[in-house]
Amino acid sequence: MKALVYDGPREVGVRDVPDARIERPTDVLVKITTTNICGSDLHMYEGRTNMETGRVLGHENMGEVIEVGDGVDKVRVGDMVSLPFNISCGFCRNCEHGLTAFCLTTPDDPTMAGAAYGFAGMGPYNGGQAEYLRVPYGDHNCLVLPEDARERQADYTMLSDIFPTGWHCTELARVQPGDSVVIYGAGPVGLMAALSAQLKSASQVMVVDRHPDRLALAEQIGAIAVDDSKGNPVDHVNALTNGAGADRGCECVGYQAHDTAGHEQPNMTLNNLVQSVKFTGTIGVVGVFIAEDPSSPSKLYREGEVAFDYGSFWFKGQTMGTGQANVKAYNRQLAGLIEKGKAKPSWIVSHELPLTQAAESYQHFDARDEGWTKVLLHPDGA
Ligand code: NAD
Ligand code: ZN
């Protein structure tokens, strides 16, 4: 089959690899119809993780079931399914509590929790930027999609990761109706956090970034754009909230946060959140941080440490929630919002291309070239 293979920093290419196949009775085999490029892929693409060369990327996958193992009961050949980027078992101590991002069964390292398709440090599983994908524990991991899924793939494809991840960020931040919310990052994840905050009836949603095209997308759903290339975002947010700071804060950037001149500062958004969220406010962090980053320009962060403004955080009585999103905790309900027309996450899609154009798509998305907000790849060429 054809698949996008990671060959090293900023080197990816579509090549022939061994076909994905059923390996265990609980597996499902999916023909991928849509697979998205994610900001998380870029950490790997840029060589900022321990991703092994030769592996297939792609964790935002949907498609049609073409084969099921003997132990699969519910999922049927022909079903259109969304696959949460987390690969989980459904029966371990964490999965039982809905914490499927921290599954104890699927990692290949007994000291780890959580696994994902085509992801550095998250198990040996290949990704879905390929013609076919093996889905372990298929009954548990496949969300069978409504009838209109084939025609509305640009919406339903967001269920594998970024729509639930944006929603998770607002859950970690405990967003309630009437709250003011500040979101750092207007990439796909930040935009989905903004959509989620709007769906939860936040009274004021402020999104901080410096890319005009991305800020314009935030404005399209009624959020307030805060352009940090035009002034200190903390001052701007505090001015918009009568000096108090926002009730809730969302971090949707991660360890490659940088200033507007491009200098990386992994503590930048965390500290800006402490300063632009109110006393007793709550903060959700879904932007990725990793345990070590040997090529970080920050000496501290090479060991995974950041100069966090803990004194102010503590003094303000704030609370922070972190981590990968438990996609399965939300994807069924969010699919319902899409089906009934209450959410249209496809508004951020900028490109739909065949898998053969994956390498150039990575280049443009990595450069944050204007207009390259979210790329969907179609391995079936559709
Ligand atoms: P992206 O790289 O496209 O978007 C990040 C945005 O942050 C960019 O628009 C950039 O301009 C902006 N930014 C950079 N520095 C900033 C700063 N100091 N202040 C404000 N904005 C700043 O990526 P994405 O796809 O939106 O993903 C965002 C993060 O979420 C990544 O770290 C990704 O790995 C992570 N992620 C986490 C999960 C999870 O489960 N927790 C899931 C998916 C993605
Ligand atoms: Zn992703």
Side-chain angles (χ1 to χ4, degrees):
M1 67 173 184
K2 300 260 183 259
L4 183 87
V5 178
Y6 175 72
D7 290 322
R10 293 197 164 83
E11 278 184 38
V12 293
V14 174
R15 284 213 296 273
D16 284 312
V17 302
D19 282 352
R21 57 182 181 81
I22 300 276
E23 294 176 20
R24 303 185 64 202
T26 45
D27 287 352
V28 162
L29 190 65
V30 174
K31 180 176 195 284
I32 298 296
T33 55
T34 304
T35 175
N36 320 327
I37 306 179
C38 178
S40 300
D41 290 321
L42 297 182
H43 304 310
M44 294 179 263
Y45 177 74
E46 293 176 11
R48 294 292 295 277
T49 67
N50 56 2
M51 188 63 172
E52 304 88 359
T53 55
R55 286 190 58 197
V56 178
L57 293 174
H59 58 271
E60 299 193 1
N61 306 308
M62 74 174 281
E64 180 181 341
V65 174
I66 55 164
E67 193 181 337
V68 299
D70 290 341
V72 172
D73 287 326
K74 175 196 76 177
V75 176
R76 291 174 199 271
V77 170
D79 283 348
M80 286 296 288
V81 291
S82 169
L83 294 328
F85 78 86
N86 334 98
I87 306 172
S88 59
C89 68
F91 52 74
C92 74
R93 202 183 172 93
N94 286 346
C95 283
E96 274 176 1
H97 291 278
L99 304 171
T100 51
F102 301 91
C103 177
L104 298 169
T105 310
T106 47
D108 52 354
D109 170 352
T111 65
M112 263 287 294
Y117 302 99
F119 220 101
M122 302 209 65
Y125 307 94
N126 264 338
Q129 288 167 6
E131 288 179 280
Y132 303 99
L133 180 70
R134 170 190 167 231
V135 179
Y137 302 110
D139 272 333
H140 170 73
N141 284 306
C142 292
L143 175 72
V144 177
L145 294 168
E147 290 292 313
D148 61 351
R150 241 172 257 275
E151 291 72 51
R152 296 180 59 202
Q153 295 196 34
D155 283 311
Y156 287 111
T157 191
M158 302 304 178
L159 292 171
S160 56
D161 180 349
I162 60 169
F163 192 12
T165 295
W167 189 273
H168 185 59
C169 200
T170 65
E171 288 287 303
L172 291 173
R174 305 185 197 163
V175 174
Q176 298 288 324
D179 282 344
S180 58
V181 185
V182 58
I183 296 162
Y184 281 84
V189 171
L191 291 168
M192 290 298 148
L195 174 65
S196 302
Q198 294 291 34
L199 288 164
K200 291 180 170 184
S201 298
S203 58
Q204 196 182 24
V205 180
M206 298 158 277
V207 181
V208 184
D209 204 304
R210 65 293 302 259
H211 290 291
D213 53 331
R214 295 179 171 206
L215 289 171
L217 289 167
E219 286 179 325
Q220 276 178 28
I221 56 162
I224 301 166
V226 176
D227 185 339
D228 69 342
S229 68
K230 299 202 170 131
N232 185 337
V234 171
D235 294 342
H236 195 156
V237 172
N238 287 336
L240 286 166
T241 51
N242 302 321
D247 297 314
R248 318 285 160 216
C250 293
E251 205 289 346
C252 301
V253 181
Y255 70 103
Q256 290 185 265
H258 45 276
D259 64 20
T260 50
H263 301 297
E264 225 175 270
Q265 298 175 32
N267 59 353
M268 190 172 178
T269 47
L270 297 174
N271 289 343
N272 281 346
L273 276 162
V274 170
Q275 300 305 335
S276 49
V277 169
K278 71 174 183 183
F279 279 74
T280 74
T282 35
I283 299 168
V285 181
V286 295
V288 162
F289 289 80
I290 54 178
E292 51 182 48
D293 179 15
S295 45
S296 176
S298 151
K299 212 171 155 191
L300 266 182
Y301 198 65
R302 285 177 210 155
E303 308 282 336
E305 294 175 9
V306 293
F308 179 53
D309 197 352
Y310 189 75
S312 295
F313 174 72
W314 187 94
F315 192 70
K316 291 179 89 170
Q318 294 173 336
T319 304
M320 186 178 276
T322 61
Q324 305 260 8
N326 306 298
V327 169
K328 254 191 86 83
Y330 319 110
N331 63 354
R332 191 180 298 281
Q333 290 87 334
L334 297 181
L337 293 182
I338 291 173
E339 186 187 9
K340 304 297 179 206
K342 296 228 165 168
K344 203 173 175 349
S346 64
W347 105 98
I348 69 162
V349 174
S350 57
H351 294 79
E352 293 200 56
L353 297 168
L355 180 67
T356 46
Q357 280 173 256
E360 56 207 86
S361 302
Y362 267 83
Q363 257 175 25
H364 288 293
F365 183 53
D366 183 47
R368 275 72 172 186
D369 281 340
E370 188 169 340
W372 286 77
T373 319
K374 188 71 181 173
V375 184
L376 315 188
L377 298 169
H378 299 297
D380 58 358

